[in-house]
C-alpha cells in the first residue's frame, strides 16, 4: 500500500519542481542551440551569460540594437496612395514579422514599435487599415481585425482616456501548398469525465453537445470507448482556421469534415492530442504527452469535481516539461455556483503554488482573450476559460484564443534531420508507414535515411517513398512539423514506437547507448531511491524499463536533485544530450534531462569505484515498501 506523503515533503517537492523546471529550460540550449549565440561565441571568448528570451523581446521592441534613423510606422501607414516606395517598405516590415511568427503576426495599428502612440483619428485609422491590407495582399496574406479602441462598432474594447484610435490586426499568409500550413500542437489532459473528448467534438464539428455524449462519439477509436465514454488511446483531432481567421467547418450541420478537407481549406491547423484521463491509462497518456512534442497543454477540469485524481498528475507532467498551460473549466451549466467558486479557488491556489508559479488570468471577454493570447509567449501566464459544451457559453472565446495563439517551440531547420517515430502502420498498396514529429532538419521524398535502433542497437538504411501531412501528400517536411513517411523495403514488424529516422551520413550509422547520465529531480517517493532501483523511463516516444546503476550520493528522496546513471534493461536507444526524461513507477516519481551518453564504471559519480557490479543490476524494485510497488512493470512495456 502506498504511504501518504507528509505535508512538508510535498511542499519540498513542489518548490524543487519550480527550480528544476528553470534549470531544464536553460539546458535545452544544448539540444536546440541559439544560432545567434553560437556565432557570437565562435568569434569571441566572452563568458557565458544567462539568456532571458522575454528581455530580448523587450529590447527588440525598443530597437536599441539598430543604429541610424528609422522610418516611423505612422508615416508608412498614412502615406499617399501613389507612394509605391513607402508601400514597399511597409510590405518588407510585414514580411519580416510573418517570417518571425511562422506565417502569422498580430500587428498593432496605432502604436510605433517602441510603444509610442501614433495619435490616429478615425479618418487616419481607415487609411492606415486599408494601407496595411494592401501591403498584406502584396505578399499573399489576409488581415483580420481583432480588436479596436475608440473607433466604435462590435469589436471596440474599453475606451482609453486619450481618445486615440488603435487596433490589433491578425495578418496570416495564404499557404500556396499543404506544407506551408501553420501547425500548432495542443495536448488535451485532465481527469476522467472532465469533458475532454466532448469539448474537442464541439470545437471540431461546430455543433453543441446534447449532454449525453453525442459530441464525443466521432472522436473515439475503439468499441469499448464508445460503450464506456472513456478514452483509452491517444486520439488525434484537427481544427482549421482560414487566412481570415474563420473556423473551417462543414456547410452541412452535424457533418464532420475529413482531415484532407480541413487541410486544403486552412491556413492554420490546431492539432489536438486527446489523452486518456483514467489512471489505468497513465502510461498511454505520458507517452502521448512526451511523444507529440506539444506546443501547449490544455488542462480540462470539470466544474463540479475540481482538480482531482489524475488532473494534478497531468498538470505536474506539463509543468515538468515546461509546456505553456491553459485551463478550461467545463460543465458550468450543471454546476451549482458555490461548487464552481470552490473549484476556481482551488485551481487558483494550485497555479500560484511554488511548484507551478503561474499567474491565473480568468478570461471573460473578447478583449481579455485577445490581449492574453498575444502575451502568451510568457510561460508565467495561465489563461482560464469557463465553458459549457451544451449551451455553448464562452466557446467563442476559446475559438478566438486558439486562432490567435502564437507558435511556440524550439526547432532548428538547419540542423541534421531527426524524426521520432510515434506510431506505425501497414497501409495496403503503400507498405510500412511511420508517423511522428520532425525534431530538426528538412527531409524530401526520395531521400535515403537511417532507421533504428533495433533490438541489437543496429540501424537499417531505407528511403522515403512519400510524405504526408494531415493526410495530404507533400514533397517535404521540416523541423517542428508532424508528418507520416512511407518507407521502402521495411516490414512493419521491424519498426516500433521510439525509433528514430535520421539523415544518411558518410560517417555511417549513428551511435546508440544503453547507459546515460542525467541530473534528476525526485518529485514524490515514499522511501529512498538507491542503485538497483527500477522504473519505467520516458524520453520523447521512448518508453522502456530503466535501472539506476550509479548515483552521486548514497540515496535520494522526495525533493532531492542528484546526478544519476541509468541503464536501459531491454535494448539501447538513440538519445541526445538535452533530451528531457520522466520516470515513473505507477505514478510519476521524477524527471530529468540527459547530460551525457555512456557510463564508465571506472569513473563512478559518487567517487567510489563500483567495479563490475554496475554491469549486473538485479531486476526488481529497491524496496517492497516503495510507493506503487504493487504496479506490475513489464520489461519493454
Amino acid at each position: 500500500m502506498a504511504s501518504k506523503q507528509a505535508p512538508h515533503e510535498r511542499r519540498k517537492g513542489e518548490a524543487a519542481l519550480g527550480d528544476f523546471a528553470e534549470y531544464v529550460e536553460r539546458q535545452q540550449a544544448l539540444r536546440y542551440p541559439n544560432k545567434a549565440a553560437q556565432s557570437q561565441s565562435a568569434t569571441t571568448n566572452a563568458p557565458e551569460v544567462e539568456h532571458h528570451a522575454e528581455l530580448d523581446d523587450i529590447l527588440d521592441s525598443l530597437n536599441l540594437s539598430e543604429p541610424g534613423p528609422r522610418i516611423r510606422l505612422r508615416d508608412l501607414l498614412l502615406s499617399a496612395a501613389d507612394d509605391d516606395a513607402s508601400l514597399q517598405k511597409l510590405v518588407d516590415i510585414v514580411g519580416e514579422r510573418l517570417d518571425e511568427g511562422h506565417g502569422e503576426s498580430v500587428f498593432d495599428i496605432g502604436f510605433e514599435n517602441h510603444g509610442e502612440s501614433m495619435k490616429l483619428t478615425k479618418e487616419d485609422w481607415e487609411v492606415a487599415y486599408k494601407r496595411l491590407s494592401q501591403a498584406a495582399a502584396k505578399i499573399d496574406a489576409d488581415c483580420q481585425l481583432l480588436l479596436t479602441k475608440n473607433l466604435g462598432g462590435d469589436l471596440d474594447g474599453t475606451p482609453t482616456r486619450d481618445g486615440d484610435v488603435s487596433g490589433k490586426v491578425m495578418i496570416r499568409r495564404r499557404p500556396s501548398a499543404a506544407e506551408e500550413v501553420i501547425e500548432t500542437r495542443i495536448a488535451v489532459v485532465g481527469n476522467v469525465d472532465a469533458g475532454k473528448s466532448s469539448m474537442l467534438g464541439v470545437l471540431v464539428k461546430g455543433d453543441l453537445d446534447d449532454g449525453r455524449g453525442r459530441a464525443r462519439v466521432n472522436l473515439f477509436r475503439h468499441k469499448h470507448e464508445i460503450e464506456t465514454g472513456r478514452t483509452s488511446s491517444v486520439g488525434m483531432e484537427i481544427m482549421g482556421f482560414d487566412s481570415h481567421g474563420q473556423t473551417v467547418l462543414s456547410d452541412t450541420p452535424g457533418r464532420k469534415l475529413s482531415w484532407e478537407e480541413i487541410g486544403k481549406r486552412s491556413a492554420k491547423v490546431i492539432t489536438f492530442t486527446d489523452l486518456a484521463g483514467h489512471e489505468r491509462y497513465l502510461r498511454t497518456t505520458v507517452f502521448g504527452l512526451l511523444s507529440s512534442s506539444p506546443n501547449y497543454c490544455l488542462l480540462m477540469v470539470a466544474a463540479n469535481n475540481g482538480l482531482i485524481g489524475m488532473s494534478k498528475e497531468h498538470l505536474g507532467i506539463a509543468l515538468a516539461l515546461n509546456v505553456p498551460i491553459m485551463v478550461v473549466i467545463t460543465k458550468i451549466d450543471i454546476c451549482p455556483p458555490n461548487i464552481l467558486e470552490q473549484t476556481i479557488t482551488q485551481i487558483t491556489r494550485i497555479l500560484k503554488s511554488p511548484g507551478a508559479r503561474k499567474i491565473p488570468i480568468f478570461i471573460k471577454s473578447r478583449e481579455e482573450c485577445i490581449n492574453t493570447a498575444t502575451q502568451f509567449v510568457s510561460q508565467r501566464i495561465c489563461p482560464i476559460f469557463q465553458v459549457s459544451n451544451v449551451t455553448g457559453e464562452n466557446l467563442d472565446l476559446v475559438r478566438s484564443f486558439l486562432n490567435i495563439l502564437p507558435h511556440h517551440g524550439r526547432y532548428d531547420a538547419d540542423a541534421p534531420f531527426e524524426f521520432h517515430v510515434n506510431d506505425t502502420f501497414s497501409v495496403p498498396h503503400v507498405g510500412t508507414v511511420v508517423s511522428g514529429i520532425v525534431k530538426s532538419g528538412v527531409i524530401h521524398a526520395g531521400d535515403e535515411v537511417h532507421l533504428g535502433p533495433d533490438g541489437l542497437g543496429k540501424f537499417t538504411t531505407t528511403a522515403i517513398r512519400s510524405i504526408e501531412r494531415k493526410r495530404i501528400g507533400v514533397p517535404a517536411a521540416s523541423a517542428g512539423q508532424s508528418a507520416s513517411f512511407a518507407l521502402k523495403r521495411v516490414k512493419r514488424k521491424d519498426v516500433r514506437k521510439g525509433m528514430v529516422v535520421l539523415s544518411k551520413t558518410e560517417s555511417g550509422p549513428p551511435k546508440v547507448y544503453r547507459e546515460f547520465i542525467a541530473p534528476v529531480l525526485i518529485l514524490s517517493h515514499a522511501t529512498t531511491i538507491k542503485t538497483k532501483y527500477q522504473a519505467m523511463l520516458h524520453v520523447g516516444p521512448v518508453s522502456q524499463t530503466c535501472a539506476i546503476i550509479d548515483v552521486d550520493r548514497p540515496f535520494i528522496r522526495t525533493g532531492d536533485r542528484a546526478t544519476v546513471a541509468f541503464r536501459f534493461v531491454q535494448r539501447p536507444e538513440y538519445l541526445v544530450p538535452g533530451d528531457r526524461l520522466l520516470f515513473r513507477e505507477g505514478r510519476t516519481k521524477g524527471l530529468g534531462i540527459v547530460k551525457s551518453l555512456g557510463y564508465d564504471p571506472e569513473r563512478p559519480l559518487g567517487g567510489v569505484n563500483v567495479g563490475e557490479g554496475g554491469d549486473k543490476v538485479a531486476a526488481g524494485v529497491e524496496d517492497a515498501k516503495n510507493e506503487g510497488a504493487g504496479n506490475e512493470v513489464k520489461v519493454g512495456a
Side-chain angles (χ1 to χ4, degrees):
M1 186 73 181
S3 59
K4 195 172 174 66
Q5 264 188 295
H8 70 278
E9 285 187 333
R10 189 167 62 249
R11 283 195 297 272
K12 182 182 176 185
E14 285 178 3
L17 173 61
D19 294 336
F20 194 78
E22 290 177 7
Y23 166 76
V24 169
E25 193 62 24
R26 291 196 298 271
Q27 292 299 307
Q28 281 284 286
L30 291 169
R31 188 75 168 88
Y32 306 103
N34 185 310
K35 288 176 206 159
Q38 276 185 328
S39 60
Q40 184 181 0
S41 61
T43 53
T44 64
N45 293 320
E48 188 180 342
V49 179
E50 191 173 338
H51 183 257
H52 291 280
E54 290 180 29
L55 184 60
D56 282 354
D57 293 339
I58 295 169
L59 292 174
D60 287 345
S61 68
L62 293 175
N63 297 315
L64 297 178
S65 59
E66 299 182 23
R70 288 183 60 86
I71 298 173
R72 290 165 59 88
L73 276 175
R74 177 190 166 94
D75 297 338
L76 297 179
L77 290 168
L78 299 180
S79 58
D82 57 353
D83 188 347
D84 293 336
S86 294
L87 179 61
Q88 187 55 48
K89 285 174 183 171
L90 185 59
V91 168
D92 293 341
I93 290 172
V94 171
E96 282 177 20
R97 293 200 183 181
L98 291 181
D99 290 338
E100 287 173 10
H102 302 271
E104 63 181 6
S105 177
V106 175
F107 201 100
D108 272 317
I109 299 182
F111 295 95
E112 298 289 344
N113 286 338
H114 52 272
E116 181 189 346
S117 174
M118 294 181 186
K119 300 194 179 300
L120 299 179
T121 62
K122 288 186 180 182
E123 292 75 20
D124 291 338
W125 162 266
E126 298 295 340
V127 173
Y129 184 60
K130 187 176 178 181
R131 195 67 164 165
L132 183 64
S133 303
Q134 195 179 351
K138 289 264 187 188
I139 49 176
D140 294 326
D142 289 315
C143 292
Q144 178 197 7
L145 188 56
L146 300 175
L147 182 73
T148 58
K149 290 289 181 81
N150 305 315
L151 183 66
D154 296 338
L155 299 178
D156 221 35
T158 309
T160 55
R161 288 182 182 178
D162 55 21
D164 295 341
V165 179
S166 63
K168 291 181 184 291
V169 180
M170 166 64 80
I171 306 175
R172 182 174 290 153
R173 273 204 184 105
R174 298 189 290 269
S176 57
E179 62 266 27
E180 293 179 11
V181 174
I182 304 161
E183 180 188 6
T184 299
R185 288 185 296 278
I186 299 179
V188 184
V189 296
N191 198 51
V192 66
D193 302 332
K196 298 184 292 297
S197 300
S198 294
M199 177 155 173
L200 291 190
V202 170
L203 287 175
V204 171
K205 284 178 66 181
D207 298 330
L208 296 175
D209 191 27
D210 63 353
R212 293 181 176 85
R214 183 180 68 181
R216 69 190 178 203
V217 170
N218 285 331
L219 275 71
F220 289 146
R221 301 170 66 185
H222 304 291
K223 183 170 178 276
H224 68 265
E225 291 181 329
I226 297 172
E227 290 169 351
T228 63
R230 290 179 176 176
T231 306
S232 65
S233 58
V234 177
M236 301 287 284
E237 280 301 320
I238 65 171
M239 178 181 181
F241 293 96
D242 61 21
S243 56
H244 296 281
Q246 301 302 310
T247 311
V248 176
L249 296 170
S250 170
D251 298 329
T252 310
R255 179 175 173 262
K256 183 182 160 195
L257 291 177
S258 68
W259 282 31
E260 294 91 334
E261 289 173 303
I262 294 173
K264 287 174 181 174
R265 289 167 53 182
S266 301
K268 175 178 184 173
V269 166
I270 306 285
T271 304
F272 293 105
T273 308
D274 184 18
L275 300 171
H278 200 282
E279 185 169 3
R280 181 187 305 168
Y281 310 117
L282 178 62
R283 173 177 171 265
T284 306
T285 301
V286 172
F287 170 80
L289 257 176
L290 273 80
S291 64
S292 64
S293 297
N295 305 116
Y296 297 94
C297 187
L298 181 59
L299 177 66
M300 308 279 274
V301 180
N304 50 356
N305 290 335
L307 209 56
I308 58 167
M310 297 309 291
S311 317
K312 294 179 183 176
E313 184 81 6
H314 297 159
L315 175 61
I317 295 169
L319 291 168
L321 296 174
N322 274 9
V323 179
I325 297 163
M326 42 191 158
V327 177
V328 172
I329 301 172
T330 59
K331 305 185 182 180
I332 60 170
D333 55 307
I334 60 169
C335 183
N338 62 317
I339 303 295
L340 177 60
E341 192 62 38
Q342 289 176 17
T343 299
I344 289 171
T345 305
Q346 181 205 21
I347 291 171
T348 304
R349 191 181 71 248
I350 289 174
L351 290 174
K352 287 182 176 178
S353 68
R357 298 182 186 177
K358 298 286 183 186
I359 303 165
I361 298 178
F362 288 87
I363 295 178
K364 297 176 181 176
S365 69
R366 180 180 172 81
E367 186 176 356
E368 289 174 334
C369 172
I370 289 160
N371 289 334
T372 308
T374 52
Q375 295 164 5
F376 200 29
V377 286
S378 168
Q379 295 191 19
R380 295 294 304 281
I381 294 175
C382 181
I384 301 174
F385 299 87
Q386 300 174 50
V387 306
S388 166
N389 296 322
V390 176
T391 65
E393 187 177 347
N394 292 336
L395 278 173
D396 56 333
L397 294 180
V398 177
R399 288 194 182 96
S400 298
F401 191 87
L402 294 172
N403 174 39
I404 310 164
L405 206 57
H407 190 81
H408 165 84
R410 281 194 177 94
Y411 305 104
D412 187 356
D414 298 327
F417 174 71
E418 182 183 334
F419 173 87
H420 289 209
V421 177
N422 294 350
D423 215 342
T424 64
F425 311 93
S426 184
V427 180
H429 313 298
V430 175
T432 302
V433 173
V434 295
S435 68
I437 309 294
V438 182
K439 286 290 183 182
S440 60
V442 178
I443 195 74
H444 298 82
D447 287 357
E448 287 205 328
V449 290
H450 288 302
L451 170 71
D454 58 15
L456 300 174
K458 304 290 186 185
F459 280 79
T460 56
T461 302
T462 180
I464 307 291
R465 189 192 304 272
S466 59
I467 304 173
E468 280 193 1
R469 285 192 64 212
K470 303 290 173 281
R471 302 176 190 169
I472 299 173
V474 294
S478 60
Q481 296 179 345
S482 56
S484 298
F485 300 149
L487 301 176
K488 294 181 181 177
R489 307 181 301 277
V490 174
K491 294 180 180 176
R492 188 190 171 187
K493 66 181 179 64
D494 298 328
V495 188
R496 60 173 173 81
K497 296 176 184 179
M499 279 187 166
V500 291
V501 179
L502 305 171
S503 53
K504 191 177 179 184
T505 57
E506 295 177 1
S507 56
K511 287 186 178 180
V512 294
Y513 294 87
R514 192 177 280 273
E515 293 109 356
F516 63 94
I517 296 170
V520 301
L521 165 70
I522 308 303
L523 293 178
S524 66
H525 195 66
T527 62
T528 58
I529 293 176
K530 306 175 186 175
T531 54
K532 300 186 181 180
Y533 171 82
Q534 286 195 350
M536 178 61 74
L537 188 107
H538 300 268
V539 188
V542 173
S543 301
Q544 196 185 144
T545 307
C546 246
I548 290 179
I549 56 175
D550 195 8
V551 192
D552 65 353
R553 63 188 68 183
F555 54 81
I556 43 179
R557 52 164 60 101
T558 300
D560 285 349
R561 283 171 63 169
T563 302
V564 174
F566 288 97
R567 169 177 290 133
F568 287 116
V569 168
Q570 190 176 11
R571 59 181 169 263
E573 299 282 4
Y574 177 82
L575 301 176
V576 177
D579 280 340
R580 289 179 287 197
L581 61 92
L582 182 147
F583 58 92
R584 61 180 188 83
E585 178 202 326
R587 293 209 177 185
T588 307
K589 297 300 176 190
L591 55 113
I593 187 162
V594 177
K595 184 180 180 183
S596 60
L597 303 173
Y599 171 72
D600 183 3
E602 300 298 323
R603 300 177 63 187
L605 301 176
V608 179
N609 194 334
V610 295
E612 295 182 358
D615 294 333
K616 300 173 183 176
V617 178
V621 182
E622 175 260 326
D623 190 335
K625 293 180 183 177
N626 282 354
E627 181 183 352
N631 291 307
E632 182 184 359
V633 178
K634 296 179 183 175
V635 173

